[in-house]
């Protein structure tokens, strides 16, 4: 015995003993379980199950005794139904677990998208507020029209003064003479007046 213990390595884990079961792909088995659970949850399954049970009862009660395979107490039927129930419950639970996992992932994705949309909405709200502030400083159409009409009036007045000045110069009157017979307008460089 001491030699046997010396041969074991303590730095390595033991290999598991017993029967090794084949590995099953969880995804494939889960899809298979969902298919069965989906099939068992339909009205068609209940109708077929009812028909099979009715045939079973009719066969094992009405046919001659030599052809009956499950006599009156229907022990074999009870065994089959209990096996079906013992497999159906875990398969349905597995399908529900997979569905709840999918729902959880979908909920997390919805939460992530909602967070992104909220951030985008807040960004757009800030941009709209900045545009409103910037538009408060922009000239409106009415303001530009009033400014243009005011400038047009000033240009018309300047043109009229220029015409009056040219007419007086033609007539021989010089503005700003000593007798005080100048124009009754302010002197500016637009009209060509010079301050003396």
């Amino acid at each position: 015995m001491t030699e046997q213990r010396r041969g074991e390595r303590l730095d390595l884990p033991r290999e598991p003993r017993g029967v090794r079961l084949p590995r099953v792909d969880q995804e494939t088995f889960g899809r298979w379980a969902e298919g069965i659970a989906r099939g068992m949850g339909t009205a068609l399954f209940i109708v077929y199950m009812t028909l099979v049970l009715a045939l079973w009862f009719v066969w094992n009660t009405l046919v001659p005794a030599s052809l009956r395979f499950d006599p009156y107490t229907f022990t074999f039927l009870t065994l089959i139904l209990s096996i079906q129930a013992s497999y159906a419950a875990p398969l349905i639970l597995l399908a529900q677990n997979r569905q709840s996992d999918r729902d959880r992932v979908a909920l997390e994705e919805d939460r992530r998208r909602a967070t992104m949309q909220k951030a985008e909405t807040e960004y757009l709200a800030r941009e709209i507020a900045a545009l409103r502030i910037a538009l408060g400083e922009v000239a409106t159409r009415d303001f530009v029209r009033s400014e243009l009409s005011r400038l047009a009036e000033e240009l018309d007045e300047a043109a009229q003064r220029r015409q009056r000045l040219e007419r007086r110069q033609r007539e021989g009157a010089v503005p700003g003479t000593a007798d005080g017979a100048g124009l009754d307008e302010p002197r500016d460089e637009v009209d060509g007046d010079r301050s003396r």
Side-chain angles (χ1 to χ4, degrees):
M1 253 199 186
T2 56
E3 289 179 13
Q4 192 178 25
R5 285 190 183 171
R6 287 182 188 168
E8 292 180 12
R9 296 204 43 187
L10 298 177
D11 61 336
L12 296 176
R14 285 186 188 176
E15 290 189 21
R17 296 180 184 170
V19 179
R20 289 190 180 195
L21 298 174
R23 294 198 177 259
V24 177
D25 182 24
Q26 295 292 327
E27 189 64 28
T28 304
F29 187 76
R31 273 190 256 121
W32 178 73
E34 284 178 341
I36 291 175
R38 238 181 247 116
M40 292 178 83
T42 61
L44 191 61
F45 175 79
I46 294 172
V47 169
Y48 286 152
M49 188 71 162
T50 305
L51 288 176
V52 167
L53 291 176
L55 283 172
W56 191 288
F57 291 144
V58 168
W59 182 270
N60 287 305
T61 54
L62 298 180
V63 297
S66 62
L67 296 176
R68 295 178 190 166
F69 58 89
D70 193 16
Y72 168 66
T73 57
F74 307 118
T75 311
F76 187 55
L77 178 64
T78 306
L79 178 65
I80 289 175
L81 290 177
S82 65
I83 288 173
Q84 178 197 2
S86 67
Y87 275 99
L91 289 175
I92 291 170
L93 286 174
L94 178 63
Q96 286 177 344
N97 288 341
R98 286 173 54 87
Q99 184 61 43
S100 66
D101 289 343
R102 279 196 298 272
D103 291 344
R104 183 177 36 80
V105 169
L107 182 65
E108 289 173 2
E109 180 66 19
D110 289 345
R111 233 183 244 143
R112 185 185 65 80
R113 284 185 184 163
T115 304
M116 285 176 46
Q117 287 177 346
K118 181 180 178 186
E120 288 176 2
T121 303
E122 289 175 353
Y123 170 76
L124 290 175
R126 287 192 302 270
E127 288 296 314
I128 289 172
L131 285 173
R132 283 184 178 169
I133 291 170
L135 281 177
E137 299 169 0
V138 173
T140 62
R141 180 179 58 192
D142 294 335
F143 175 75
V144 171
R145 280 185 181 166
S146 66
E147 288 296 310
L148 286 176
S149 63
R150 187 182 61 79
L151 285 174
E153 289 173 5
E154 286 181 6
L155 288 174
D156 288 342
E157 289 176 10
Q160 288 174 1
R161 283 194 307 252
R162 199 170 283 129
Q163 287 174 359
R164 274 187 256 147
L165 180 65
E166 289 174 359
R167 195 176 330 127
R168 288 200 180 162
Q169 283 178 351
R170 274 185 263 139
E171 293 174 359
V174 178
T177 55
D179 61 352
L183 292 175
D184 57 349
E185 63 181 4
R187 298 181 182 203
D188 56 6
E189 293 184 12
V190 173
D191 294 335
D193 297 338
R194 293 186 185 137
S195 57
R196 296 186 181 190

